[in-house]
Each structure stands twice: as structure tokens, then as C-alpha cells.
Amino acid sequence: SELKVIKKNADNEEKSSLVLEIPKFWSNKNIVFKNNFAEYDRKKMYYKDVVAMSYHGVRNSTYGIETSQKYTFSIMSSNDGITFTFSGDEDLWYKLIDIAKQVIEPVIIEKLVKSIFEKEQTFSIGNVDFDKKGYHRSKFFGGVESVFWKDTIYIPQFSQGYVILFKNKDGVGKKFTTISMEDSNAVVLPELLKACVEEYTIHNQK
């Protein structure tokens, strides 16, 4: 019957939901991840609409002893966003990162790769510009330094709240620049660069 179908759909919906409780000062709030959208504080955001995300953690210490941890998580569409900050729960932090990498990061990467290689657009993450030739940054005393997709590409690394990009120098990856994990889409850079190299190779096969 129709009632059974509705109940079955509701059961499936429940099984495909992930609810994480975000500790807040006055009262906790839940972020709910469904198959195709996330919901938090009466805001619903479909993954297909997400254009940027960021997450970062700050550890405070006094005389070398850690006193507090603060974590921020953000996903943005072109006209809205879900952003929250919480303290002290590192396990929750890693759960948020894990789900974001599974359901949100691939959507963002697909859009960015398409904008580079199909629409031939340039976009910036932090102080770095990305286009169909590679990625580039302005040098302190003028000029531009570049890493091209045809070059040896080293996968960016996370370190102390930053993403480090590299440039090949005599067969070794040397630091090209650093971008704060707070900057929109800095956290997708490792997978973005892999996707860009793959797409560049496809577009330039003879």
C-alpha cells in the first residue's frame, strides 16, 4: 500500500542519514548529512550547490601546555553557507572532515576542474591562481612564479593549519607557497591537483 511505501522510504532515509551533535555554549545543535544535502540550524544545503568549503583547528597553549582547542567547519554555496565553531571534540572534528571528503569535496573538485579545462577560466585559492596551464603566484619583488601541469607535480601537504604547495627543483619538491586552511577550498588542494593533472593529460594526449 501507499502507507507501506512511505514508511519504507522513511526507513531508508533514516538509514542514509548521519547526525552529528555540535557542542555549543548554550545548547547543542545537530548537523544532519543526508544522501544529497546537509542541514544545520534550519538551513538546508544541497551538495550539488556547494562551491567552497573550509575547515581548520586552532590549539591554544600556555607555557607549552595545551589549554584549549577550537574547530571551525564551513560549506558555502553561491548565495548561502553553513558555518559553525566548537571546542574540544577532536573525534567530532575528524568525523566532519571524513564526511566532507566523501560527499562534498568531489563536487567542488568536479566544478573547479570543469571551470579550468572546459570553460578556460582562472580562479584563486589563497594567493595562488589556477588555470589550464598550471598554478601561479605573484613574487614579492614583482613577476610571477609558476608550476605547470606538464611539470612534475607534488601533492600538497597539510602542516600546522596550512596547505603547502611544492615546485620541482632538481628532482626534489621545494616549497612553492603556503595557504591557510581557513581560505576557501584550500583543503581540497591535494585532490584538486591530482584531478587537474589527470584532466590535463587527457586534454593533451596526441
Side-chain angles (χ1 to χ4, degrees):
S1 70
E2 189 174 332
L3 186 61
K4 285 183 179 178
V5 170
I6 291 171
K7 187 177 185 304
K8 184 179 179 183
N9 287 341
D11 289 343
N12 289 339
E13 185 83 358
E14 189 69 29
K15 288 175 184 175
S16 62
S17 299
L18 175 65
V19 181
L20 297 176
E21 190 175 38
I22 309 301
K24 307 300 290 181
F25 186 75
W26 292 111
S27 62
N28 295 348
K29 294 181 179 179
N30 290 338
I31 182 166
V32 181
F33 292 97
K34 301 275 191 172
N35 278 337
N36 56 356
F37 68 87
E39 196 165 17
Y40 177 79
D41 198 19
R42 296 189 295 276
K43 276 188 181 180
K44 180 186 287 189
M45 186 168 297
Y46 287 89
Y47 305 138
K48 65 180 178 61
D49 296 328
V50 176
V51 297
M53 74 174 187
S54 68
Y55 48 78
H56 63 279
V58 176
R59 297 172 183 266
N60 297 313
S61 59
T62 304
Y63 303 116
I65 300 171
E66 188 172 298
T67 54
S68 66
Q69 303 167 330
K70 187 175 81 170
Y71 304 103
T72 300
F73 179 87
S74 178
I75 55 175
M76 309 295 291
S77 70
S78 58
N79 56 11
D80 205 356
I82 291 175
T83 301
F84 52 82
T85 300
F86 60 93
S87 299
D89 193 337
E90 193 171 43
D91 287 342
L92 172 61
W93 172 236
Y94 285 118
K95 285 177 184 175
L96 284 165
I97 293 173
D98 186 51
I99 191 72
K101 289 184 75 66
Q102 289 182 54
V103 300
I104 298 171
E105 184 176 273
V107 175
I108 295 172
I109 289 174
E110 183 180 354
K111 288 179 180 178
L112 294 178
V113 169
K114 186 174 182 178
S115 73
I116 292 175
F117 294 100
E118 291 186 25
K119 299 180 180 178
E120 298 191 358
Q121 296 173 340
T122 300
F123 63 83
S124 300
I125 298 177
N127 62 331
V128 180
D129 294 332
F130 295 80
D131 60 25
K132 65 178 183 178
K133 292 183 179 179
Y135 54 92
H136 323 274
R137 69 175 184 90
S138 297
K139 296 167 77 171
F140 190 72
F141 292 108
V144 175
E145 185 177 11
S146 298
V147 175
F148 298 105
W149 302 127
K150 64 182 180 181
D151 298 339
T152 300
I153 300 293
Y154 294 85
I155 302 304
Q157 303 289 321
F158 294 107
S159 177
Q160 298 180 328
Y162 289 88
V163 185
I164 305 172
L165 275 73
F166 299 94
K167 181 174 183 175
N168 182 48
K169 188 173 182 181
D170 301 325
V172 178
K174 297 291 186 181
K175 185 171 80 172
F176 177 73
T177 193
T178 58
I179 300 174
S180 172
M181 289 172 66
E182 294 182 62
D183 288 339
S184 291
N185 286 335
V187 294
V188 310
L189 281 168
E191 295 304 318
L192 175 63
L193 262 63
K194 291 179 190 176
C196 284
V197 170
E198 187 175 319
E199 194 70 17
Y200 175 84
T201 303
I202 292 170
H203 275 253
N204 290 274
Q205 283 177 339
K206 293 181 179 179

